[in-house]
Amino acid sequence: MTAAERIAALHPEMTEWRRDLHAHPELGFEETRTADFVARQLEAFGFDEVHRGVGRTGVVGVLRSGASPRTVGLRADMDALPIEEANTFEHRSRNARRMHACGHDGHTAMLLGAARYLAETRQFDGAAHFVFQPAEEGRGGAKAMIADGLFRRFPCDSIFGMHNRPHLAVGGFAVRAGPMMAGGAFFDIDIVGVGAHGARPEAGVDPVMVAVQIASTLQTIVSRNVPPVETAVLSITQIHAGDAYNVIPQTARLSGTVRAFSGAVMQLIENNLRRIAESVAQGMGAKASVDFRLEFAPLVNDAAQAEFAAAVCTELVGAGNVERNPAPIMGSEDFSFMLEQVPGCFINIGNGDTPGGCELHNPHYDFNDAALPLGAAFFARVVERKLGAG
Ligand SMILES: [Zn+2]
Ligand SMILES: [Zn+2]
């Protein structure tokens, strides 16, 4: 029996896990029930080691076979979003304003499926590290695990992760070498002017005018500073100032996000943003201070590991169902920080076109259980091929 056939037999059980996780969503670094669920399963499967509390609420399972020093890492994310679920099916969220609207319940269930299969069969020579990461949704879970010694305690020669992709057919994969998802930064620009009566602008320095000049001038960074062959986004998403009709406020704040595919472009944008904000403010007699925070590194797949991942996908579904070189995505993903430490590849698995709104972060979203065995088989075959006996 092939790995895929054996894993197909675990489909009902994986569906149960997935729906149980879906019904009990938890936000980043609050995944205590989820982490406990994962750790208990790994223990029940007979894992050699199960480590709780790695990067606060993360879990790492270690599975060994044979004596080879080779290692491979597999990663799934476990957190949910602060969304009120609009679905009415039996496994809908039991927790108010908490929802698995990004499919991390499915990612966790797929990695558990691979864990169960590999613990039973152990057809490999080396150590497989199962990384169940907390807090992917902008709360820094990958960084927390790395800071907690993830790759020192559980070295990985290579590492693999996956995310479901709506509108890609179930039974399909997408694999891209090189930059796949943008890096993301958040910024705040605090402007201090001089408050005055709304009828006496000559007595003040209007921070609202400074803010709009800065907002407008920042739009020249992507059009005039970033090389046209590069891709970047700079969006100002918040402007806050004032609370009366007849008061020129003392302060204003601009906030927003930047996306780019290379660290060099991100740095170029930060440098220009700082210079424009500070000098436009100064030119108008005000002061601006900038807080620029890189929340996500660009996600860059190692070329050789992407080839390997594509070969595993092709083995499972045939070349016709493996999309190579899909367009890069402006969204971000913190698995990027793990890929900065260890060569690896992040792939997409098809979630299909479920009727009723199959969009990530949508209140009608649901992970497609039909994809579970395929994702589990990918993880399992990665281990069996990376750590192949002999
Ligand atoms: Zn998400
Ligand atoms: Zn996600």
PDB file of all heavy atoms in Angstrom, residues 96-122:
ATOM      1  N   ALA A  96     -17.145  33.205  20.644  1.00  0.00           N
ATOM      2  CA  ALA A  96     -17.581  34.490  20.082  1.00  0.00           C
ATOM      3  C   ALA A  96     -16.388  35.259  19.526  1.00  0.00           C
ATOM      4  O   ALA A  96     -15.325  35.313  20.153  1.00  0.00           O
ATOM      5  CB  ALA A  96     -18.276  35.319  21.160  1.00  0.00           C
ATOM      6  N   ARG A  97     -16.566  35.837  18.341  1.00  0.00           N
ATOM      7  CA  ARG A  97     -15.543  36.673  17.690  1.00  0.00           C
ATOM      8  C   ARG A  97     -14.206  35.940  17.527  1.00  0.00           C
ATOM      9  O   ARG A  97     -13.148  36.562  17.564  1.00  0.00           O
ATOM     10  CB  ARG A  97     -15.334  37.999  18.447  1.00  0.00           C
ATOM     11  CG  ARG A  97     -16.585  38.883  18.443  1.00  0.00           C
ATOM     12  CD  ARG A  97     -16.372  40.177  19.194  1.00  0.00           C
ATOM     13  NE  ARG A  97     -15.842  39.967  20.521  1.00  0.00           N
ATOM     14  CZ  ARG A  97     -16.557  39.534  21.563  1.00  0.00           C
ATOM     15  NH1 ARG A  97     -17.839  39.259  21.420  1.00  0.00           N
ATOM     16  NH2 ARG A  97     -15.994  39.384  22.741  1.00  0.00           N
ATOM     17  N   ARG A  98     -14.275  34.641  17.350  1.00  0.00           N
ATOM     18  CA  ARG A  98     -13.073  33.854  17.066  1.00  0.00           C
ATOM     19  C   ARG A  98     -13.431  32.910  15.933  1.00  0.00           C
ATOM     20  O   ARG A  98     -14.482  32.257  15.992  1.00  0.00           O
ATOM     21  CB  ARG A  98     -12.646  33.010  18.281  1.00  0.00           C
ATOM     22  CG  ARG A  98     -12.356  33.819  19.538  1.00  0.00           C
ATOM     23  CD  ARG A  98     -11.017  34.516  19.435  1.00  0.00           C
ATOM     24  NE  ARG A  98     -10.707  35.223  20.677  1.00  0.00           N
ATOM     25  CZ  ARG A  98     -11.007  36.489  20.924  1.00  0.00           C
ATOM     26  NH1 ARG A  98     -11.655  37.217  20.027  1.00  0.00           N
ATOM     27  NH2 ARG A  98     -10.667  37.061  22.060  1.00  0.00           N
ATOM     28  N   MET A  99     -12.573  32.836  14.936  1.00  0.00           N
ATOM     29  CA  MET A  99     -12.911  31.981  13.799  1.00  0.00           C
ATOM     30  C   MET A  99     -11.662  31.493  13.072  1.00  0.00           C
ATOM     31  O   MET A  99     -10.732  32.263  12.840  1.00  0.00           O
ATOM     32  CB  MET A  99     -13.788  32.767  12.819  1.00  0.00           C
ATOM     33  CG  MET A  99     -14.189  31.946  11.611  1.00  0.00           C
ATOM     34  SD  MET A  99     -15.102  32.898  10.386  1.00  0.00           S
ATOM     35  CE  MET A  99     -15.154  31.685   9.063  1.00  0.00           C
ATOM     36  N   HIS A 100     -11.665  30.230  12.686  1.00  0.00           N
ATOM     37  CA  HIS A 100     -10.632  29.710  11.783  1.00  0.00           C
ATOM     38  C   HIS A 100     -11.020  30.102  10.359  1.00  0.00           C
ATOM     39  O   HIS A 100     -11.558  29.295   9.608  1.00  0.00           O
ATOM     40  CB  HIS A 100     -10.492  28.193  11.928  1.00  0.00           C
ATOM     41  CG  HIS A 100      -9.502  27.801  12.982  1.00  0.00           C
ATOM     42  ND1 HIS A 100      -8.166  28.113  12.872  1.00  0.00           N
ATOM     43  CD2 HIS A 100      -9.656  27.149  14.158  1.00  0.00           C
ATOM     44  CE1 HIS A 100      -7.528  27.650  13.949  1.00  0.00           C
ATOM     45  NE2 HIS A 100      -8.399  27.076  14.748  1.00  0.00           N
ATOM     46  N   ALA A 101     -10.733  31.345  10.018  1.00  0.00           N
ATOM     47  CA  ALA A 101     -11.111  31.874   8.702  1.00  0.00           C
ATOM     48  C   ALA A 101      -9.941  31.879   7.738  1.00  0.00           C
ATOM     49  O   ALA A 101     -10.037  32.411   6.640  1.00  0.00           O
ATOM     50  CB  ALA A 101     -11.669  33.284   8.859  1.00  0.00           C
ATOM     51  N   CYS A 102      -8.798  31.287   8.150  1.00  0.00           N
ATOM     52  CA  CYS A 102      -7.635  31.220   7.256  1.00  0.00           C
ATOM     53  C   CYS A 102      -7.239  29.767   7.014  1.00  0.00           C
ATOM     54  O   CYS A 102      -6.267  29.494   6.338  1.00  0.00           O
ATOM     55  CB  CYS A 102      -6.472  32.020   7.846  1.00  0.00           C
ATOM     56  SG  CYS A 102      -5.289  32.598   6.604  1.00  0.00           S
ATOM     57  N   GLY A 103      -7.984  28.836   7.626  1.00  0.00           N
ATOM     58  CA  GLY A 103      -7.715  27.415   7.370  1.00  0.00           C
ATOM     59  C   GLY A 103      -6.575  26.821   8.171  1.00  0.00           C
ATOM     60  O   GLY A 103      -6.101  25.733   7.858  1.00  0.00           O
ATOM     61  N   HIS A 104      -6.135  27.508   9.233  1.00  0.00           N
ATOM     62  CA  HIS A 104      -5.037  26.954  10.023  1.00  0.00           C
ATOM     63  C   HIS A 104      -5.478  25.677  10.755  1.00  0.00           C
ATOM     64  O   HIS A 104      -4.647  24.850  11.116  1.00  0.00           O
ATOM     65  CB  HIS A 104      -4.490  28.009  11.003  1.00  0.00           C
ATOM     66  CG  HIS A 104      -3.940  29.232  10.317  1.00  0.00           C
ATOM     67  ND1 HIS A 104      -3.340  30.262  10.981  1.00  0.00           N
ATOM     68  CD2 HIS A 104      -3.894  29.586   8.996  1.00  0.00           C
ATOM     69  CE1 HIS A 104      -2.951  31.197  10.114  1.00  0.00           C
ATOM     70  NE2 HIS A 104      -3.303  30.805   8.906  1.00  0.00           N
ATOM     71  N   ASP A 105      -6.809  25.539  10.959  1.00  0.00           N
ATOM     72  CA  ASP A 105      -7.336  24.274  11.491  1.00  0.00           C
ATOM     73  C   ASP A 105      -7.006  23.125  10.535  1.00  0.00           C
ATOM     74  O   ASP A 105      -6.600  22.041  10.959  1.00  0.00           O
ATOM     75  CB  ASP A 105      -8.854  24.376  11.739  1.00  0.00           C
ATOM     76  CG  ASP A 105      -9.628  24.959  10.543  1.00  0.00           C
ATOM     77  OD1 ASP A 105      -9.000  25.544   9.630  1.00  0.00           O
ATOM     78  OD2 ASP A 105     -10.869  24.841  10.529  1.00  0.00           O
ATOM     79  N   GLY A 106      -7.155  23.395   9.243  1.00  0.00           N
ATOM     80  CA  GLY A 106      -6.827  22.374   8.231  1.00  0.00           C
ATOM     81  C   GLY A 106      -5.338  22.089   8.171  1.00  0.00           C
ATOM     82  O   GLY A 106      -4.921  20.934   8.056  1.00  0.00           O
ATOM     83  N   HIS A 107      -4.521  23.148   8.254  1.00  0.00           N
ATOM     84  CA  HIS A 107      -3.063  22.949   8.206  1.00  0.00           C
ATOM     85  C   HIS A 107      -2.610  22.062   9.376  1.00  0.00           C
ATOM     86  O   HIS A 107      -1.794  21.155   9.215  1.00  0.00           O
ATOM     87  CB  HIS A 107      -2.314  24.293   8.264  1.00  0.00           C
ATOM     88  CG  HIS A 107      -2.754  25.278   7.206  1.00  0.00           C
ATOM     89  ND1 HIS A 107      -2.502  26.622   7.294  1.00  0.00           N
ATOM     90  CD2 HIS A 107      -3.437  25.103   6.050  1.00  0.00           C
ATOM     91  CE1 HIS A 107      -2.999  27.225   6.223  1.00  0.00           C
ATOM     92  NE2 HIS A 107      -3.576  26.332   5.465  1.00  0.00           N
ATOM     93  N   THR A 108      -3.165  22.351  10.566  1.00  0.00           N
ATOM     94  CA  THR A 108      -2.805  21.564  11.754  1.00  0.00           C
ATOM     95  C   THR A 108      -3.257  20.116  11.598  1.00  0.00           C
ATOM     96  O   THR A 108      -2.497  19.179  11.896  1.00  0.00           O
ATOM     97  CB  THR A 108      -3.438  22.208  13.011  1.00  0.00           C
ATOM     98  OG1 THR A 108      -2.899  23.526  13.163  1.00  0.00           O
ATOM     99  CG2 THR A 108      -3.143  21.411  14.268  1.00  0.00           C
ATOM    100  N   ALA A 109      -4.477  19.914  11.090  1.00  0.00           N
ATOM    101  CA  ALA A 109      -4.998  18.544  10.930  1.00  0.00           C
ATOM    102  C   ALA A 109      -4.170  17.768   9.899  1.00  0.00           C
ATOM    103  O   ALA A 109      -3.922  16.570  10.074  1.00  0.00           O
ATOM    104  CB  ALA A 109      -6.472  18.589  10.521  1.00  0.00           C
ATOM    105  N   MET A 110      -3.720  18.444   8.839  1.00  0.00           N
ATOM    106  CA  MET A 110      -2.916  17.750   7.816  1.00  0.00           C
ATOM    107  C   MET A 110      -1.572  17.314   8.394  1.00  0.00           C
ATOM    108  O   MET A 110      -1.097  16.200   8.130  1.00  0.00           O
ATOM    109  CB  MET A 110      -2.696  18.663   6.607  1.00  0.00           C
ATOM    110  CG  MET A 110      -3.983  18.920   5.829  1.00  0.00           C
ATOM    111  SD  MET A 110      -3.764  19.751   4.228  1.00  0.00           S
ATOM    112  CE  MET A 110      -3.273  21.396   4.713  1.00  0.00           C
ATOM    113  N   LEU A 111      -0.968  18.188   9.197  1.00  0.00           N
ATOM    114  CA  LEU A 111       0.328  17.819   9.775  1.00  0.00           C
ATOM    115  C   LEU A 111       0.153  16.699  10.802  1.00  0.00           C
ATOM    116  O   LEU A 111       0.990  15.796  10.901  1.00  0.00           O
ATOM    117  CB  LEU A 111       1.014  19.050  10.394  1.00  0.00           C
ATOM    118  CG  LEU A 111       2.467  18.854  10.832  1.00  0.00           C
ATOM    119  CD1 LEU A 111       3.334  18.245   9.738  1.00  0.00           C
ATOM    120  CD2 LEU A 111       3.075  20.180  11.294  1.00  0.00           C
ATOM    121  N   LEU A 112      -0.979  16.719  11.531  1.00  0.00           N
ATOM    122  CA  LEU A 112      -1.262  15.619  12.465  1.00  0.00           C
ATOM    123  C   LEU A 112      -1.473  14.302  11.709  1.00  0.00           C
ATOM    124  O   LEU A 112      -1.055  13.236  12.172  1.00  0.00           O
ATOM    125  CB  LEU A 112      -2.508  15.933  13.310  1.00  0.00           C
ATOM    126  CG  LEU A 112      -2.316  16.911  14.472  1.00  0.00           C
ATOM    127  CD1 LEU A 112      -3.670  17.220  15.117  1.00  0.00           C
ATOM    128  CD2 LEU A 112      -1.351  16.346  15.519  1.00  0.00           C
ATOM    129  N   GLY A 113      -2.108  14.377  10.549  1.00  0.00           N
ATOM    130  CA  GLY A 113      -2.322  13.166   9.739  1.00  0.00           C
ATOM    131  C   GLY A 113      -0.991  12.556   9.321  1.00  0.00           C
ATOM    132  O   GLY A 113      -0.783  11.341   9.424  1.00  0.00           O
ATOM    133  N   ALA A 114      -0.070  13.427   8.867  1.00  0.00           N
ATOM    134  CA  ALA A 114       1.264  12.945   8.489  1.00  0.00           C
ATOM    135  C   ALA A 114       1.979  12.380   9.712  1.00  0.00           C
ATOM    136  O   ALA A 114       2.671  11.352   9.628  1.00  0.00           O
ATOM    137  CB  ALA A 114       2.075  14.086   7.880  1.00  0.00           C
ATOM    138  N   ALA A 115       1.807  13.024  10.857  1.00  0.00           N
ATOM    139  CA  ALA A 115       2.456  12.586  12.096  1.00  0.00           C
ATOM    140  C   ALA A 115       1.993  11.176  12.466  1.00  0.00           C
ATOM    141  O   ALA A 115       2.799  10.304  12.810  1.00  0.00           O
ATOM    142  CB  ALA A 115       2.134  13.556  13.233  1.00  0.00           C
ATOM    143  N   ARG A 116       0.700  10.973  12.359  1.00  0.00           N
ATOM    144  CA  ARG A 116       0.154   9.659  12.732  1.00  0.00           C
ATOM    145  C   ARG A 116       0.696   8.571  11.803  1.00  0.00           C
ATOM    146  O   ARG A 116       1.156   7.508  12.254  1.00  0.00           O
ATOM    147  CB  ARG A 116      -1.371   9.718  12.674  1.00  0.00           C
ATOM    148  CG  ARG A 116      -1.980   8.369  12.683  1.00  0.00           C
ATOM    149  CD  ARG A 116      -3.219   8.245  13.480  1.00  0.00           C
ATOM    150  NE  ARG A 116      -3.397   6.821  13.730  1.00  0.00           N
ATOM    151  CZ  ARG A 116      -4.530   6.296  14.112  1.00  0.00           C
ATOM    152  NH1 ARG A 116      -5.567   7.056  14.328  1.00  0.00           N
ATOM    153  NH2 ARG A 116      -4.614   4.999  14.303  1.00  0.00           N
ATOM    154  N   TYR A 117       0.640   8.851  10.504  1.00  0.00           N
ATOM    155  CA  TYR A 117       1.115   7.878   9.517  1.00  0.00           C
ATOM    156  C   TYR A 117       2.609   7.573   9.721  1.00  0.00           C
ATOM    157  O   TYR A 117       3.014   6.404   9.749  1.00  0.00           O
ATOM    158  CB  TYR A 117       0.847   8.413   8.098  1.00  0.00           C
ATOM    159  CG  TYR A 117       1.695   7.740   7.045  1.00  0.00           C
ATOM    160  CD1 TYR A 117       1.334   6.505   6.502  1.00  0.00           C
ATOM    161  CD2 TYR A 117       2.886   8.336   6.608  1.00  0.00           C
ATOM    162  CE1 TYR A 117       2.136   5.880   5.556  1.00  0.00           C
ATOM    163  CE2 TYR A 117       3.685   7.717   5.665  1.00  0.00           C
ATOM    164  CZ  TYR A 117       3.319   6.482   5.140  1.00  0.00           C
ATOM    165  OH  TYR A 117       4.125   5.872   4.220  1.00  0.00           O
ATOM    166  N   LEU A 118       3.418   8.614   9.875  1.00  0.00           N
ATOM    167  CA  LEU A 118       4.873   8.407   9.979  1.00  0.00           C
ATOM    168  C   LEU A 118       5.252   7.720  11.293  1.00  0.00           C
ATOM    169  O   LEU A 118       6.210   6.945  11.344  1.00  0.00           O
ATOM    170  CB  LEU A 118       5.610   9.742   9.840  1.00  0.00           C
ATOM    171  CG  LEU A 118       5.602  10.331   8.423  1.00  0.00           C
ATOM    172  CD1 LEU A 118       6.003  11.802   8.443  1.00  0.00           C
ATOM    173  CD2 LEU A 118       6.526   9.545   7.480  1.00  0.00           C
ATOM    174  N   ALA A 119       4.487   8.005  12.355  1.00  0.00           N
ATOM    175  CA  ALA A 119       4.768   7.354  13.637  1.00  0.00           C
ATOM    176  C   ALA A 119       4.485   5.858  13.535  1.00  0.00           C
ATOM    177  O   ALA A 119       5.167   5.042  14.166  1.00  0.00           O
ATOM    178  CB  ALA A 119       3.925   7.986  14.743  1.00  0.00           C
ATOM    179  N   GLU A 120       3.495   5.488  12.737  1.00  0.00           N
ATOM    180  CA  GLU A 120       3.154   4.067  12.574  1.00  0.00           C
ATOM    181  C   GLU A 120       4.130   3.334  11.667  1.00  0.00           C
ATOM    182  O   GLU A 120       4.469   2.188  11.910  1.00  0.00           O
ATOM    183  CB  GLU A 120       1.745   3.939  11.981  1.00  0.00           C
ATOM    184  CG  GLU A 120       0.636   4.078  12.994  1.00  0.00           C
ATOM    185  CD  GLU A 120      -0.738   4.134  12.325  1.00  0.00           C
ATOM    186  OE1 GLU A 120      -0.841   3.801  11.120  1.00  0.00           O
ATOM    187  OE2 GLU A 120      -1.689   4.522  13.011  1.00  0.00           O
ATOM    188  N   THR A 121       4.560   4.032  10.600  1.00  0.00           N
ATOM    189  CA  THR A 121       5.326   3.335   9.552  1.00  0.00           C
ATOM    190  C   THR A 121       6.836   3.496   9.705  1.00  0.00           C
ATOM    191  O   THR A 121       7.591   2.562   9.443  1.00  0.00           O
ATOM    192  CB  THR A 121       4.893   3.858   8.174  1.00  0.00           C
ATOM    193  OG1 THR A 121       4.995   5.297   8.173  1.00  0.00           O
ATOM    194  CG2 THR A 121       3.458   3.457   7.878  1.00  0.00           C
ATOM    195  N   ARG A 122       7.284   4.668  10.063  1.00  0.00           N
ATOM    196  CA  ARG A 122       8.712   4.997  10.245  1.00  0.00           C
ATOM    197  C   ARG A 122       9.593   4.475   9.108  1.00  0.00           C
ATOM    198  O   ARG A 122      10.663   3.887   9.357  1.00  0.00           O
ATOM    199  CB  ARG A 122       9.214   4.492  11.598  1.00  0.00           C
ATOM    200  CG  ARG A 122       8.418   5.104  12.740  1.00  0.00           C
ATOM    201  CD  ARG A 122       9.166   5.107  14.053  1.00  0.00           C
ATOM    202  NE  ARG A 122       8.241   5.416  15.143  1.00  0.00           N
ATOM    203  CZ  ARG A 122       8.535   6.166  16.188  1.00  0.00           C
ATOM    204  NH1 ARG A 122       9.735   6.686  16.319  1.00  0.00           N
ATOM    205  NH2 ARG A 122       7.649   6.412  17.123  1.00  0.00           N
TER     206      ARG A 122
END
